[in-house]
Amino acid sequence: ADTTCTFDGEEYTKDTTNPFETDIGTVLAGVFDIVIPTGNAQLVGSEQIAGVEADRYTFSIEGLGSGSGAQVDANTGEIWVAKDGGYVLRYTVVAKMVDTATGEQYSLTVTLAMTSVNQPVSIVMPDGCVNAPMSTT
């Protein structure tokens, strides 16, 4: 509960939080909510996800790049919502932008998948993280 593990593609690092950071993280997790963006979401069909009937929507993130002036190269999202219960079963977002002033590229890929509902979960640190060095930040 008080240790996080990060993998940057090459090595693992772990960091320990103090109780205040843990409490804030819990609060923020409760505030975070995934919703179907209003205005541009389109129902594209129905299918089964993990044995649950779901409606599938596509969307884009409105206003992406407008604040920074970045060139948007990708802006797609999909969300599958359970027909019975209205909860999110799967959620994907792909966003890629280029800073037109510096040429730096930024990308974000988010994939969330519901695998079970109201079941106990056991979280185990990856083997590479068990002996990883502690972060100095």
Side-chain angles (χ1 to χ4, degrees), residues 39-133:
N40 70 4
Q42 293 185 8
L43 178 63
V44 293
S46 297
E47 57 191 86
Q48 277 201 357
I49 301 294
V52 177
E53 285 295 321
D55 288 327
R56 178 179 165 215
Y57 297 84
T58 59
F59 63 91
S60 60
I61 301 168
E62 293 182 336
L64 185 64
S66 62
S68 64
Q71 172 186 318
V72 177
D73 290 339
N75 181 3
T76 61
E78 293 181 285
I79 189 168
W80 290 260
V81 179
K83 287 186 176 199
D84 184 22
Y87 52 91
V88 175
L89 292 163
R90 188 177 295 159
Y91 179 88
T92 63
V93 171
V94 175
K96 295 181 182 179
M97 298 183 294
V98 175
D99 183 329
T100 55
T102 66
E104 278 190 80
Q105 298 180 2
Y106 301 91
S107 65
L108 169 72
T109 302
V110 175
T111 303
L112 303 173
M114 174 78 72
T115 57
S116 63
V117 177
N118 296 329
Q119 299 297 316
V121 176
S122 175
I123 299 173
V124 179
M125 287 282 191
D127 288 341
C129 197
V130 173
N131 297 315

Side-chain angles (χ1 to χ4, degrees), residues 14-29:
K14 61 183 174 183
D15 195 13
T16 303
T17 58
N18 65 42
F20 176 76
E21 290 171 320
T22 302
D23 286 345
I24 291 298
T26 302
V27 170
L28 291 176

